[in-house]
Amino acid sequence: MNLSFGTGQAVDIKEGINVIRAAFDKGITFFDTAEAYGPFTKEELVGEALKPFRKDVVIATKFGMISDTSVNSLPKHIRKVVEASLKRLQTDYIDILYQHRVDPNVPIEDVAGTIQDLIKEGKVKYWGLSEANADIVRSGQESLKNL
C-alpha cells in the first residue's frame, strides 16, 4: 500500500518493482496487496515485479472494500474482483484471498461458499478475513463444515 498512497508520496513504478525484487532477493517471499491499494495499481505493480519468480512467493490480496465507507461482498462481485485481480497480478491463482472488510449486508456463509468454490476451481488456495471479530470467524468456519 505504501508504494502508492499510504505515505502520501507515490513511488515510481520502476522504483517499486526494484524495491519488491530487492525484497525477494533478501529472502522475503510473502507479498500482500489489495484491489483498493491505488486503487488497482498496486496489484499491477506486484504482478509485474513478481512475475519472474511467481512460483517462489506467496501473494495475498483482498476484496470487498470499495472505499473507506463502502463494501461489497456479494458473490457475483467477489468473482468479478478475483478475475480482475488474477489479470492484474499476472497469475492463474491467488495464494491467500482476504475479505478486506466484513460486509454487513452479505452473510458470511455466502462469502465462505463463494470462496470455497473459487478454491475448488484452483483460482484461490486459502482465504481469510481482515478486521473480522471472533463471531464472524466462527460463522465462516461453521459454514465451511456444511459445504
Side-chain angles (χ1 to χ4, degrees):
M1 179 177 85
N2 287 341
L3 291 175
S4 60
F5 67 92
T7 60
Q9 190 173 12
V11 173
D12 173 74
I13 292 172
K14 189 173 182 179
E15 183 180 352
I17 289 170
N18 289 338
V19 166
I20 292 170
R21 288 183 178 169
F24 176 78
D25 289 343
K26 299 241 184 238
I28 295 173
T29 58
F30 180 84
F31 296 88
D32 179 87
T33 188
E35 66 168 338
Y37 300 165
F40 313 116
T41 56
K42 289 311 124 236
E43 284 185 331
E44 292 169 351
L45 174 67
V46 168
E48 183 63 29
L50 298 178
K51 185 168 52 171
F53 28 83
R54 171 62 183 106
K55 302 292 184 202
D56 300 318
V57 297
V58 173
I59 297 176
T61 194
K62 302 169 201 75
F63 71 90
M65 187 174 88
I66 297 172
S67 70
D68 289 342
T69 58
S70 180
V71 294
N72 183 344
S73 289
L74 291 168
K76 184 177 179 181
H77 184 72
I78 295 170
R79 286 191 161 280
K80 179 180 171 187
V81 168
V82 166
E83 293 300 330
S85 291
L86 289 169
K87 285 182 180 143
R88 288 190 292 269
L89 291 166
Q90 300 183 44
T91 187
D92 56 351
Y93 66 95
I94 296 166
D95 294 290
I96 304 170
L97 180 67
Y98 292 101
Q99 182 182 29
H100 209 150
R101 300 279 189 280
V102 174
D103 187 337
N105 299 312
V106 179
I108 194 65
E109 296 81 6
D110 292 351
V111 173
T114 301
I115 298 175
Q116 186 66 25
D117 290 343
L118 290 164
I119 290 171
K120 289 175 185 173
E121 294 166 20
K123 295 179 180 182
V124 173
K125 284 189 172 184
Y126 304 99
W127 77 286
L129 301 167
S130 179
E131 299 186 18
N133 65 36
D135 290 336
I136 295 290
V137 173
R138 281 188 205 97
S139 293
Q141 288 176 327
E142 284 302 313
S143 66
L144 288 177
K145 288 179 187 176
N146 297 324
L147 290 177

